[in-house]
Amino acid sequence: MSAKKWTKAVLAACLLVLICSPAWAQKIKIAVAAPLTGPAASYGENIKSGVETKVEEINAAGGINGVMVEVAYFDELCEPREAAVVAPRIVGDKDIVGVVGHVCSSAHLAALPTYVRMGMPVISPTATNVTISQQNKDNQGRVWSFRNVYLDDYQGYFLAHYVKDVLGLERIAVFYENNDYGIGLKNAFVAEAKNVGLAIVGEEGYVKGATDFAPQLTRLRGGNPDGLFISGYYNEGALIAAQAGNLGMDVVKFGADGLDNVDYINLGGDAANNTYMTVPFLAEAAPEQAQDFIKKFEEKYQRDLDWMSANAYDAAGKFAAAVAAVGTDRTAIRDYLAGINSLENAYIGITGATYFSEIGDPEKSAFVKMVNDGAFTAAPKQMQ
Amino acid sequence: MLEQQLINGLTLGLIYALIAVGYTMVYGVIQLINFAHGEIYMLGAFFCVTFITAAGMPFYVAILMAIICCMLCGILLDIIAYRPLRKAPRLAALITAIGMSIFLQNVALIIWGSRSRPFPQAALPSFFREKALVMGDVSLTWLQLFIFAVAIIMMIGLYLTINKTRIGTAMRALAQNKTAASLMGINVNYVISFTFALGSAMGAVAGILVSVYYNTLYPTMGYTAGVKAFAAAVLGGIGSVPGAMVGGVVLGVAEALGAGYVSSLYRDGVAYAVMIAVIIFRPSGILGRSVVDKA
């Protein structure tokens, strides 16, 4: 090709770009606000893999109305301070149609005022703290923050009934993480425990990232418990279970969705056996269309699908459905999400049918799964 | 319950002590608080697990290899980050140390990912999980005894190295007066490298023991351990090796008793309260001397 021809070709290419640019400028971005580094990075990774899988799926099928979807990641370390910094940056990016996040309730609470004030629809796949729903309405009464995970008080309430009625436990030792999630869950459990007649033999707290629980466990052991409630996440939970085993405590362990990750078994070893947990997603109970996704996910990431990834996948899916139906306007997306308000028009995801109450909280039921012989299985008895 | 808390505290404390001696030795010799020491401890654990899983080495060989790698890392850390700043103000070196700590943490995050991983149980000697002693409410595992034994043997070895060998004499000479030592024909950089290597070896062992004990390792594990070991070193008198050992054990036991009897949320608070009390009432630490005779 001669130099002249090259110039022509380049010019033609430029022209083509110019002509097409209105269409190109239109982008659809979904923000993921999660801890991507730092001590809680593995939770962020769960969210990331869920959203990533959903977006890949959408793009492989030709995008939304022909436009490819991008994911913008914002690292907030699960810290309220960082979340408050990240939120305005997300709102400032005009291409972002919605936020999947935040992971931690405390971070979500810190970012929430910005989203509500600036009008950014957000779906948290994991934040379970009760107080969130009181703060997600703007002054016109519109809800901007939704979640597709049930709340701590529900899980705590549910667990108190489950361990009393189904597992037949009597004396409970409580171990809680000292943050919004751990405390909220624990308080709900303890309050209901009194009503159903469970004895609480001791409550011990710990901070995220702690590794040594032997002193607290030694103290709890003195109360002769038959059940150990771990109100926290799986990294620390696994260590608590293992160290309880080392101290010779033969107890039934139980907790909520925070424990649900295959790492709980990896890190806890034999001591992880005989642990019950409430989960929003149970592979065995997942609907037909989910099985394909579960298989793909497990091949790609080489680990069991956890509920965080499943919820994040569904959260991204809800945004995609909203954009496909009403376009990229944030208020329109909010209205669409707020319209998912009854079983008839529920969003059917892999975690089942979800719809939101008028304060943005989901209506879905809890499943119980357990660790048996080093693997997760559905608990033999579910409870409604 | 008291006996059990003492055992809990002693296990923790001996591990703190192992890390703390690395801090204190480096401080004794070049007056640098090496904040990246906690990351060497973390690397020790990750190297060991990687040698077991990726290279299929037996447990003890993997430990040895991890120790060697960490010694090299320690020496490299000194050569790359600290040696160019030897004559700069101390603050510059301190900031560099913090920078190296963050850098190494993130390198580990990139290489090994953010998830906590378990220690490969199959590689461990089977007696580790068995109980050595069960007396009423008190239980002691073989693993805990193993940690006691390793920590004590390493500390005796360190003590002998510092006090009975030529290189140890050179370290002590350097701690007293760097210029005079170099005038006496001591190769200052060589001795400093040796100090880093020795401290890193202790740190690596601590990292491996912790990851076996808790069956978990993660890239950010060095931070808290580093801060605790620093507190232990200050508690014992920074610059003093026996002080770091005593400081580590005192801190571990104080934490266990604090968590067991006061409130578990105050466990770190108890540890630091002890440290602050020591600094107020005995600023040179439990075994520190106020003169410059250190290491």
Side-chain angles (χ1 to χ4, degrees):
Chain A
M1 229 189 259
S2 71
K4 222 173 181 181
K5 270 189 182 166
W6 266 113
T7 324
K8 268 189 186 168
V10 170
L11 274 176
C14 287
L15 204 65
L16 196 71
V17 169
L18 274 177
I19 293 166
C20 297
S21 57
W24 285 33
Q26 193 201 6
K27 276 188 190 166
I28 301 174
K29 275 200 217 170
I30 294 176
V32 168
L36 301 171
T37 61
S42 49
Y43 310 138
E45 203 186 305
N46 296 339
I47 304 303
K48 194 177 163 189
S49 46
V51 174
E52 204 171 66
T53 316
K54 182 76 206 181
V55 167
E56 270 169 24
E57 219 175 89
I58 295 167
N59 288 343
I64 303 175
N65 302 329
V67 184
M68 293 295 150
V69 180
E70 285 174 39
V71 189
Y73 295 102
F74 294 86
D75 186 8
E76 36 81 316
L77 300 162
C78 245
E79 278 181 17
R81 199 176 54 232
E82 294 294 323
V85 173
V86 157
R89 284 177 49 211
I90 296 176
V91 175
D93 186 337
K94 295 285 168 258
D95 297 325
I96 291 178
V97 297
V99 186
V100 178
H102 295 231
V103 174
C104 300
S105 293
S106 344
H108 194 80
L109 280 167
L112 197 50
T114 309
Y115 298 138
V116 170
R117 206 172 48 239
M118 310 289 284
M120 169 62 87
V122 37
I123 303 178
S124 174
T126 52
T128 45
N129 189 272
V130 181
T131 54
I132 290 172
S133 23
Q134 294 147 20
Q135 297 176 39
N136 55 17
K137 274 186 187 167
D138 64 9
N139 42 24
Q140 294 166 41
R142 293 180 302 184
V143 170
W144 288 93
S145 159
F146 302 88
R147 40 185 165 179
N148 54 356
V149 62
Y150 46 58
L151 311 192
D152 295 335
D153 54 352
Y154 175 69
Q155 292 196 80
Y157 172 91
F158 182 93
L159 272 171
H161 284 271
Y162 189 84
V163 298
K164 174 78 182 170
D165 300 342
V166 179
L167 301 180
L169 300 180
E170 299 284 340
R171 301 168 63 79
I172 309 294
V174 179
F175 231 122
Y176 64 95
E177 186 165 317
N178 193 28
N179 62 11
D180 290 336
Y181 172 73
I183 294 174
L185 184 58
K186 177 208 68 155
N187 286 347
F189 174 82
V190 171
E192 191 58 23
K194 296 210 172 81
N195 295 338
V196 296
L198 285 165
I200 305 290
V201 301
E203 290 180 29
E204 298 285 340
Y206 63 88
V207 290
K208 176 167 281 314
T211 44
D212 185 63
F213 303 96
Q216 296 97 311
L217 284 165
T218 304
R219 181 148 98 169
L220 289 176
R221 192 179 60 178
N224 197 22
D226 55 7
L228 177 63
F229 177 34
I230 304 170
S231 180
Y233 296 94
Y234 55 83
N235 280 333
E236 292 84 4
L239 296 183
I240 292 171
Q243 289 170 29
N246 283 344
L247 285 170
M249 288 171 78
D250 183 24
V251 289
V252 175
K253 278 106 11 193
F254 60 93
D257 49 11
L259 294 184
D260 179 24
N261 189 289
V262 69
D263 281 350
Y264 179 80
I265 301 175
N266 292 339
L267 301 173
D270 288 344
N273 286 332
N274 213 11
T275 304
Y276 293 80
M277 60 197 79
T278 47
V279 287
F281 168 75
L282 192 61
E284 289 88 342
E288 194 73 19
Q289 82 269 20
Q291 300 303 334
D292 185 42
F293 162 73
I294 294 170
K295 227 177 73 202
K296 258 195 290 183
F297 184 95
E298 284 168 4
E299 270 168 22
K300 185 169 169 200
Y301 296 100
Q302 295 295 317
R303 60 185 167 86
D304 282 354
L305 175 63
D306 56 296
W307 69 270
M308 285 189 176
S309 302
N311 273 0
Y313 176 92
D314 274 357
K318 285 189 190 111
F319 280 123
V323 173
V326 299
T328 56
D329 180 62
R330 288 173 187 170
T331 311
I333 292 172
R334 187 218 78 88
D335 294 342
Y336 178 90
L337 292 175
I340 305 176
N341 58 4
S342 68
L343 194 56
E344 290 77 57
N345 54 13
Y347 175 86
I348 312 290
I350 53 163
T351 58
T354 319
Y355 59 97
F356 301 115
S357 74
E358 60 174 16
I359 49 168
D361 291 333
E363 304 283 338
K364 52 165 65 175
S365 62
F367 302 99
V368 180
K369 71 183 202 178
M370 67 174 299
V371 186
N372 195 7
D373 274 339
F376 281 123
T377 63
K381 268 193 191 160
Q382 301 289 332
M383 195 175 83
Q384 282 312 313
Chain B
M1 163 143 158
L2 179 66
E3 295 88 344
Q4 185 71 55
Q5 296 294 21
L6 288 177
I7 291 173
N8 298 338
L10 197 61
T11 317
L12 200 62
L14 282 168
I15 289 169
Y16 287 162
L18 276 182
I19 319 172
V21 289
Y23 264 105
T24 224
M25 273 197 294
V26 168
Y27 183 84
V29 173
I30 57 171
Q31 277 78 52
L32 165 76
I33 294 175
N34 178 18
F35 274 117
H37 190 59
E39 271 57 50
I40 298 282
Y41 149 97
M42 173 271 292
L43 285 176
F46 271 98
F47 282 143
C48 184
V49 168
T50 308
F51 284 131
I52 289 172
T53 52
M57 292 180 185
F59 181 55
Y60 297 108
V61 181
I63 291 186
L64 208 63
M65 292 294 294
I67 291 176
I68 293 171
C69 287
C70 279
M71 289 168 103
L72 291 176
C73 285
I75 294 172
L76 272 179
L77 184 68
D78 174 48
I79 292 176
I80 294 169
Y82 304 143
R83 192 171 290 179
L85 295 171
R86 207 77 92 202
K87 298 215 162 48
R90 272 200 222 165
L91 190 62
L94 183 71
I95 293 168
T96 310
I98 295 173
M100 287 310 290
S101 158
I102 297 170
F103 171 74
L104 288 174
Q105 213 178 86
N106 284 289
V107 167
L109 267 171
I110 291 169
I111 299 178
W112 288 294
S114 59
R115 312 191 85 83
S116 298
R117 55 175 72 199
F119 203 93
Q121 291 296 316
L124 293 177
S126 56
F127 69 87
F128 269 15
R129 291 289 162 209
E130 284 163 27
K131 296 250 189 308
L133 175 81
V134 181
M135 236 171 47
D137 261 358
V138 183
S139 73
L140 179 68
T141 59
W142 280 108
L143 176 62
Q144 280 172 315
L145 282 180
F146 180 78
I147 292 174
F148 295 170
V150 170
I152 289 167
I153 290 169
M154 289 208 68
M155 285 191 227
I156 292 173
L158 180 73
Y159 185 79
L160 293 178
T161 310
I162 290 175
N163 288 298
K164 304 281 176 198
T165 62
R166 278 176 68 85
I167 186 95
T169 313
M171 278 166 69
R172 281 180 293 143
L174 217 61
Q176 289 213 345
N177 190 326
K178 218 189 294 178
T179 323
S182 73
L183 289 174
M184 292 297 125
I186 292 173
N187 183 341
V188 171
N189 279 336
Y190 174 75
V191 175
I192 294 175
S193 287
F194 181 81
T195 309
F196 269 93
L198 207 56
S200 301
M202 312 283 280
V205 172
I208 296 165
L209 291 178
V210 163
S211 57
V212 172
Y213 185 49
Y214 296 135
N215 188 31
T216 181
L217 56 159
Y218 48 97
T220 49
M221 66 192 271
Y223 176 74
T224 335
V227 173
K228 288 283 172 60
F230 172 62
V234 172
L235 191 59
I238 189 141
S240 154
V241 169
M245 298 176 187
V246 173
V249 173
V250 169
L251 193 71
V253 171
E255 245 189 75
L257 294 183
Y261 290 101
V262 187
S263 160
S264 47
L265 281 173
Y266 294 153
R267 64 175 302 161
D268 292 350
V270 169
Y272 294 124
V274 171
M275 185 177 91
I276 292 167
V278 168
I279 290 173
I280 291 174
F281 297 109
R282 201 177 149 76
S284 53
I286 300 173
L287 293 185
R289 276 161 286 180
S290 44
V291 286
V292 277
D293 180 21
K294 285 166 182 149

